[in-house]
Amino acid sequence: MASRPKEYRGSVEVAPRRRFGRFREAPKQRDRGGRGHEIVKEMSVCSMCAEAHRDKQLAIEEAAKAAAAQAAVEESDDSYGDDDE
């Protein structure tokens, strides 16, 4: 299953028109909207294939975290301001 972030707009219900009377009600907020995720692609697979896919995804995420940590270490090891030139 592939998903993507999605922002949902809210909708406002317009108050009915009145012929008589001085005061009108404010428009009513029907749906506030918000943020979430929507499914882009969904597949039906057997449990063994789903587990294999999940393991691959976890391995990819772990490799990305390790690469980010390594890049942070290398960035902190760079010396700034040394006058050894």
Side-chain angles (χ1 to χ4, degrees), residues 2-76:
S3 63
R4 64 178 167 211
K6 175 75 174 176
E7 188 165 328
Y8 300 97
R9 295 183 8 190
S11 60
V12 176
E13 182 178 317
V14 179
R17 288 185 148 193
R18 292 187 180 180
R19 285 185 138 181
F20 306 104
R22 290 176 49 188
F23 302 105
R24 280 178 127 172
E25 293 180 24
K28 296 178 183 175
Q29 187 98 16
R30 199 172 45 181
D31 181 16
R32 296 185 321 173
R35 293 184 180 162
H37 285 32
E38 70 179 5
I39 296 172
V40 178
K41 186 176 182 180
E42 189 172 8
M43 298 172 58
S44 296
V45 295
C46 68
S47 60
M48 289 175 36
C49 295
E51 187 174 333
H53 178 70
R54 188 177 18 238
D55 292 342
K56 286 180 187 177
Q57 290 297 324
L58 289 174
I60 291 170
E61 289 175 10
E62 289 298 321
K65 287 179 185 177
Q70 181 65 28
V73 168
E74 289 175 2
E75 180 71 26
S76 66

